[in-house]
Amino acid sequence: MKTMDHNDNQPIRKRVALHAEKHRKKRRIWAWVLSVFALATVVVAAYSAYVYVRTKNAIDSTYDSSNHVQIKQGEFNGQRKFAVLLLGTDTGALDRTEKVGNSDTVIIAVVNPEKKRYTLMSVPRDTMAQMVGAETFQIEKINAAYPLGGAAMSMASVSKLVNVPIKYYALVNMKGIMRLIRYVGGIDIRPNLSFEYGGYIFKKNQLTHMGGGGALAYSRMRYDDPKGDYGRQQRQRQVITALIQKTISLNTLTKLDSVLTSISGNVKTNLTFAALQQIALNYRDTTKHAKSDYLHGHNATIDDVSYQVQSTKELQRVSDYLRAELGLKLLPLKNNETYQNKRNVARGFDFSNIATQEYHLYLDYAEPKAGGN
């Protein structure tokens, strides 16, 4: 049977009329195409607005107004360098139930757009430090600053320790880290040693895909590492670096709402939504390269309690590096720690001796006159 042509049995039309009808058909087709395009644009715009509002709401819920910082015009313009204190509390995951925990992860993150890189500088959690902002002169392990005085004391104490200005922070508990890793589909890491922890098995140099639980177990193990807490810090930096790279490489628009809503109860920061937007937009290139380092301390006992004490030489090394990354003038370090070191060396403490030694605290320390940053 012959397929009917739409022109069958139709009278022959004049060329002008035929042309006019074709023109009308084209106009109808283009009108349809434009209508579909407009509808799609509206849908995308509406969805983007929905995601934006939900994202803003999620981030706003993480904002710590008590540590508000006035952000200057152009502060995150993609050219200026800045530092953020990263704090990790070991609560809310894998049998940890403490409401307020010590900040067992303390990392100074410095973003350097000039060199297109960021640096993660770990501060060992047992590092002896003055608790800046305490009502009376007080020396504790650096991880005690957060439960004692919150993010403000943590920032001030770490800042004083290495003479680096730090006014921004981000705190996340382990539950938040697990959820974020889960939402990006896991991370891939080559373990730097073989071990088993929390039911997870890791083999040295074997590329391993880790979900939230695996990554947490990998970054938490401490006592079976020959390097002790230093080894754990290195693994923590591995996890953070891998997470940053995975997050940047993903098109997370469709997941952003779920991700942020999920982790919002597990994160605190004094960076506003607008500031985070600018950082994400203007500093993307700095995520391509990362440097990893840490303060190398010495085992010591203070009143029969184990500490890590940092030599003046090591504190100066880290201070010089971080200040250089921030484009700041290098300055001789003078603080409580350098004062205590001088007095202890005079009484026989040897920083070249790897054995655990007794370290004495001198409570007559007086703050030096304010100097420039």
Side-chain angles (χ1 to χ4, degrees), residues 233-247:
Q233 293 165 34
Q234 183 179 11
R235 284 179 274 114
Q236 289 172 347
R237 294 192 299 272
Q238 271 187 291
V239 169
I240 292 173
T241 301
L243 180 56
I244 289 173
Q245 296 298 330
K246 183 65 175 291
T247 303

Side-chain angles (χ1 to χ4, degrees), residues 20 51 123 170 181 202-203 220 274 279 289 299 303 308 344 352:
V51 171
V123 180
I181 291 173
F202 305 97
K203 294 185 178 180
R220 174 175 280 165
I279 292 171
H289 303 286
N299 294 326
D303 296 331
Q308 284 278 302
N344 274 273
S352 65

Side-chain angles (χ1 to χ4, degrees), residues 13-277:
R13 296 172 178 171
K14 292 183 179 181
R15 186 176 299 173
V16 174
L18 187 60
H19 177 75
E21 184 170 333
K22 287 182 178 180
H23 181 66
R24 285 193 296 274
K25 286 182 179 180
K26 286 182 179 179
R27 288 180 61 186
R28 285 197 297 271
I29 292 172
W30 274 110
W32 179 80
V33 170
L34 290 173
S35 298
V36 171
F37 177 77
L39 178 62
T41 301
V42 170
V43 170
V44 170
Y47 177 70
S48 298
Y50 166 77
V51 171
Y52 175 88
V53 171
R54 290 294 298 274
T55 300
K56 185 177 187 303
N57 290 341
I59 292 181
D60 282 347
S61 70
T62 72
Y63 181 64
D64 177 9
S65 59
S66 65
N67 287 292
H68 171 75
V69 177
Q70 186 65 42
I71 298 175
K72 299 177 182 178
Q73 181 71 24
E75 185 147 356
F76 299 116
N77 61 3
Q79 299 177 4
R80 293 190 177 183
K81 305 161 186 176
F82 64 95
V84 179
L85 184 64
L86 305 180
L87 300 172
T89 59
D90 208 4
T91 59
L94 295 187
D95 73 12
R96 304 301 175 96
T97 58
E98 301 91 344
K99 291 296 179 67
V100 178
N102 289 343
S103 53
D104 286 338
T105 299
V106 181
I107 298 175
I108 306 168
V110 174
V111 179
N112 187 340
E114 182 181 344
K115 295 184 178 179
K116 294 184 178 180
R117 72 184 182 198
Y118 66 95
T119 296
L120 299 178
M121 181 70 72
S122 291
V123 180
R125 67 178 192 169
D126 292 336
T127 296
M128 180 199 75
Q130 180 185 358
M131 299 291 99
V132 179
E135 293 183 1
T136 59
F137 181 72
Q138 187 173 355
I139 294 176
E140 303 284 351
K141 296 178 181 181
I142 193 64
N143 69 342
Y146 182 71
L148 285 174
M153 183 174 286
S154 292
M155 287 187 287
S157 300
V158 173
S159 178
K160 192 66 175 289
L161 182 70
V162 292
N163 193 23
V164 171
I166 301 173
K167 57 183 179 179
Y168 305 115
Y169 87 95
L171 177 140
V172 60
N173 68 22
M174 295 300 100
K175 187 175 182 180
I177 288 288
M178 288 179 66
R179 286 184 172 180
L180 185 53
I181 291 173
R182 187 179 303 128
Y183 270 106
V184 299
I187 55 178
D188 296 318
I189 289 178
R190 291 187 186 277
N192 52 18
L193 76 164
S194 298
F195 65 94
E196 181 177 352
Y197 185 82
Y200 295 91
I201 299 174
F202 305 97
K203 294 185 178 180
K204 185 176 181 178
N205 293 328
Q206 180 175 311
L207 188 64
T208 305
H209 184 76
M210 303 179 189
L216 184 57
Y218 179 71
S219 62
R220 174 175 280 165
M221 189 277 288
R222 178 186 186 188
Y223 295 109
D224 291 335
D225 193 318
K227 297 180 180 179
D229 197 45
Y230 294 119
R232 182 172 70 164
Q233 293 165 34
Q234 183 179 11
R235 284 179 274 114
Q236 289 172 347
R237 294 192 299 272
Q238 271 187 291
V239 169
I240 292 173
T241 301
L243 180 56
I244 289 173
Q245 296 298 330
K246 183 65 175 291
T247 303
I248 291 298
S249 67
L250 288 175
N251 178 7
T252 57
L253 177 63
T254 57
K255 292 185 176 182
L256 196 56
D257 177 30
S258 298
V259 172
L260 291 173
T261 300
S262 174
I263 69 171
S264 61
N266 302 290
V267 176
K268 278 295 177 185
T269 181
N270 63 345
L271 285 163
T272 63
F273 179 71
L276 291 170
Q277 274 187 306

Side-chain angles (χ1 to χ4, degrees), residues 298-340:
H298 296 260
N299 294 326
T301 57
I302 300 176
D303 296 331
D304 295 325
V305 177
S306 297
Y307 276 82
Q308 284 278 302
V309 291
Q310 310 292 338
S311 70
T312 298
K313 181 179 179 180
E314 175 65 2
L315 288 170
Q316 190 68 59
R317 178 190 74 83
V318 170
S319 177
D320 288 349
Y321 174 81
L322 293 177
R323 290 182 69 87
E325 285 293 290
L326 288 168
L328 300 174
K329 179 182 177 182
L330 305 190
L331 297 172
L333 195 59
K334 294 181 179 180
N335 56 21
N336 166 71
E337 288 69 43
T338 62
Y339 174 78
Q340 301 291 341

